[in-house]
Amino acid sequence: GNFSPPPATNANIEMRDDGINIKKGTFGGGSGGTAVLDDTDFSVNTILKQLESIQQGTPKNIVILGTRHCSLLHQQIIELLSYALVLSDNHLFTSGATGTHAAAIRGALRANNQDLLTVILPQTIQRQPREIRELLGQVHNIIELGHSELPLDAASRICNSELLAKGDQLIVFAFHDSKTLRETIEEAKALSLLVTVLFLD
């Protein structure tokens, strides 16, 4: 019939015990219609929810992990989020590599509080891409796990476990087929961390 999609602000967001599950691009098709969110709507809703939760409660140890492959817009959002987290006295933990982690490091550095940023690398600074090595040159707290003999995905799994051991909350930016990140999400839930997963696809 005359189905008109709901406004974009009603993005399909489920509040659950383990965080906010945001299904991008699917909501309310009463007659089989589906309204599709564009990136901006998805991102603004998402970031507002996160910023709202940041402002409530005591500072936490927050781990940000995610894909290397994210758009400039998503990188800017991650940077804004990590900037806000450190400004609100949360301690941010992340890893190396381009994409999500580099954006998180840039945002945290902008907040000018080095004590609240820790970067844990699966291998060594030398094994990081050149632009990341330059970024890491500005970070005071770096832990190099040195698993250079392992394939990167295996080293990353160990690194993610080390990060989770230090965190109260995990924020993940992932695609639905990110196998290593999906495993990390399950591990974080098993450790009773508050988990927020933001899927980019």
Side-chain angles (χ1 to χ4, degrees):
N2 325 335
F3 170 71
S4 61
T9 46
N10 295 345
N12 186 7
I13 296 177
E14 302 168 16
M15 299 300 288
R16 301 186 320 211
D17 291 342
D18 57 350
I20 303 166
N21 182 29
I22 296 184
K23 296 190 179 72
K24 177 172 179 261
T26 55
F27 50 86
S31 59
T34 304
V36 177
L37 281 171
D38 67 28
D39 271 352
T40 324
D41 284 322
F42 161 70
S43 304
V44 171
N45 275 325
T46 306
I47 205 74
L48 288 176
K49 284 276 173 210
Q50 276 301 313
L51 291 173
E52 196 174 36
S53 69
I54 289 164
Q55 287 159 354
Q56 297 162 355
T58 51
K60 296 184 179 70
N61 292 328
I62 297 183
V63 180
I64 292 186
L65 290 172
T67 175
R68 292 181 184 77
H69 311 290
C70 48
S71 68
L72 185 60
L73 176 67
H74 285 124
Q75 288 179 53
Q76 289 168 335
I77 286 165
I78 294 161
E79 198 171 318
L80 175 65
L81 181 60
S82 66
Y83 173 68
L85 284 167
V86 173
L87 275 189
S88 337
D89 294 327
N90 295 284
H91 192 130
L92 191 72
F93 292 85
T94 190
S95 191
T98 53
T100 300
H101 304 159
I105 293 168
R106 281 196 302 272
L109 287 171
R110 273 179 50 207
N112 286 328
N113 191 338
Q114 284 275 4
D115 294 341
L116 294 179
L117 171 64
T118 300
V119 177
I120 302 182
L121 301 175
Q123 297 173 334
T124 61
I125 292 176
Q126 275 59 52
R127 297 294 287 267
Q128 291 289 314
R130 188 172 57 82
E131 72 264 34
I132 304 301
R133 289 202 303 270
E134 289 171 7
L135 188 61
L136 292 171
Q138 304 168 53
V139 178
H140 294 180
N141 304 324
I142 299 181
I143 299 168
E144 297 174 273
L145 296 179
H147 294 299
S148 301
E149 76 291 349
L150 294 175
L152 185 57
D153 62 337
S156 295
R157 272 195 198 91
I158 294 169
C159 183
N160 290 354
S161 298
E162 291 279 337
L163 284 158
L164 294 183
K166 298 184 183 314
D168 306 310
Q169 181 173 354
L170 171 66
I171 301 173
V172 178
F173 293 85
F175 292 102
H176 281 85
D177 61 357
S178 309
K179 186 166 173 284
T180 303
L181 287 170
R182 297 296 286 258
E183 288 172 9
T184 300
I185 291 162
E186 291 312 311
E187 187 183 342
K189 288 178 181 173
L191 292 168
S192 304
L193 269 70
L194 179 67
V195 178
T196 306
V197 185
L198 306 176
F199 286 112
L200 305 179
D201 55 357

